Amino acid sequence: MTRLARFFLGGLLVYASIDKILNPAAFAEVVFNYRILPDDLINLTAILLPPFELVLGVLLLLGHWLAGGVLLSSSVLSVFFLSVAFNLARGLNVDCGCFTSSSASASQAEMIWYVVRDALFLVPAFYLLYRLRQTDGTLPGRTNAAGSFRRRALLQAAFILILSAAFAWCVNALRPEPLPLTENWSPASRLELENGEILTISLEEAEEAFANGAAFFADARSTEAYLAGHILGAVNLPWDQFDILFEPVMGPIPLDALIITYCDGETCGLGIELARALRGQGYENVRVLINGWSLWVAQHLPTEP
């Protein structure tokens, strides 16, 4: 049972690290979307965390430094669980980024599932921690089992953290485009293009374009949120399904059309990401209505259904 739990936990951490190591910038977006860490720590977390998961998972699979590895696994899984639960409690629905670098929004049902799933992941971690401490007490010469295990676990954990940090630095340094240690994550910087153009549009301008039939509105929220209510005539292009839905949704819309993207909430970045993606596909006249859905509803502007 102990070996099975160790293999499960190790495999889980290795699998969780792969996509995030391959897509550090996208994972930094996930970290940002949690709205927990200060901006100066977002890129640093995106650089350090995935290699740490990989090193930790490999050590668990190999059975090396188990005391420190299990202690760190329990700690990091607890942080993941608490972070997702915290976002669920404050109504911030984002993809947990547990196994992918997706920065898409999530429904409340998905957020509840993330919390339940992360709680289940803690079971083998705490079981291993308990079993290792119990086994430590049966070894010859271990008269103070609790203290001996604690010292060994902390020492091994320190070595694992140092090893992971060195590995993460090498991985990032060897990338064709290394992720910078810090980055400007302010709303203004995310809405400004390299040429200095600002992507935002005011509610008044968006309302005027709507009244004149001069714009197409693109809802970047999940399909579930879109079906619950959206701006009248808006198309739904969820950010997490952009590659799949781009052609069928945007195909009839000419490249020179004014596109106004929106999501919900002042901190929601899906409308920004959708706008940037659409510009990358040739739509040059794209604007973002920040907190679009809430503002539109508050002004009692036309919606459906």
Side-chain angles (χ1 to χ4, degrees):
M1 185 68 178
T2 301
R3 178 176 294 184
L4 180 62
R6 176 167 62 84
F7 282 159
F8 172 79
L9 202 58
L12 181 75
L13 288 167
V14 170
Y15 176 67
S17 70
I18 301 301
D19 187 64
K20 292 179 281 190
I21 289 177
L22 295 175
N23 301 283
F27 182 56
E29 186 77 27
V30 173
V31 177
F32 169 78
N33 286 339
Y34 268 78
R35 304 297 197 275
I36 294 176
L37 293 177
D39 289 358
D40 288 343
L41 294 181
I42 290 174
N43 278 24
L44 191 60
T45 300
I47 291 171
L48 294 175
L49 183 57
F52 167 67
E53 291 177 326
L54 180 60
V55 169
L56 198 54
V58 169
L59 288 174
L60 287 172
L61 290 173
L62 295 177
H64 296 322
W65 291 352
L66 283 181
V70 172
L71 176 63
L72 288 173
S73 299
S74 303
S75 301
V76 74
L77 288 173
S78 296
V79 170
F80 292 161
F81 167 75
L82 292 173
S83 298
V84 175
F86 177 59
N87 273 354
L88 175 64
R90 60 179 176 164
L92 186 58
N93 297 341
V94 297
D95 193 288
C96 74
C98 302
F99 300 106
T100 72
S101 54
S102 168
S103 58
S105 62
S107 66
Q108 187 171 26
E110 289 173 322
M111 290 293 292
I112 294 173
W113 162 240
Y114 294 153
V115 171
V116 173
R117 184 186 63 185
D118 286 0
L120 292 175
F121 288 159
L122 285 170
V123 174
F126 286 137
Y127 169 76
L128 282 173
L129 196 61
Y130 170 77
R131 288 295 299 159
L132 285 173
R133 182 171 175 176
Q134 291 298 108
T135 303
D136 199 72
T138 66
L139 297 177
R142 300 287 171 84
T143 55
N144 183 7
S148 174
F149 176 78
R150 189 181 303 115
R151 286 191 297 272
R152 192 167 75 260
L154 290 174
L155 184 61
Q156 290 179 1
F159 279 123
I160 293 171
L161 289 172
I162 294 171
L163 175 64
S164 299
F167 177 56
W169 181 85
C170 293
V171 169
N172 193 56
L174 293 173
R175 297 185 191 280
E177 296 183 9
L179 192 67
L181 294 180
T182 59
E183 191 172 341
N184 186 355
W185 286 94
S186 66
S189 69
R190 289 159 55 75
L191 288 164
E192 184 176 350
L193 300 176
E194 293 180 358
N195 61 6
E197 183 181 359
I198 304 299
L199 291 178
T200 53
I201 188 172
S202 68
L203 178 63
E204 292 74 18
E205 291 172 316
E207 182 182 359
E208 182 180 354
F210 176 86
N212 295 334
F216 293 88
F217 287 76
D219 192 322
R221 300 175 300 158
S222 67
T223 301
E224 182 182 24
Y226 173 82
L227 292 176
H230 55 269
I231 294 174
L232 181 65
V235 297
N236 185 214
L237 188 52
W239 171 238
D240 61 332
Q241 301 180 57
F242 181 83
D243 292 338
I244 300 173
L245 297 179
F246 171 75
E247 284 295 339
V249 171
M250 300 301 297
I253 301 177
L255 291 176
D256 60 351
L258 171 60
I259 311 293
I260 300 176
T261 68
Y262 71 92
C263 55
D264 190 22
E266 294 183 358
T267 60
C268 179
L270 299 180
I272 299 172
E273 299 307 321
L274 178 57
R276 288 180 172 273
L278 288 173
R279 290 183 67 90
Q281 294 292 332
Y283 287 91
E284 296 185 357
N285 194 14
V286 184
R287 293 294 180 268
V288 182
L289 181 59
I290 300 296
N291 195 20
W293 175 242
S294 293
L295 291 177
W296 200 266
V297 171
Q299 294 299 314
H300 305 289
L301 296 172
T303 64
E304 58 181 348

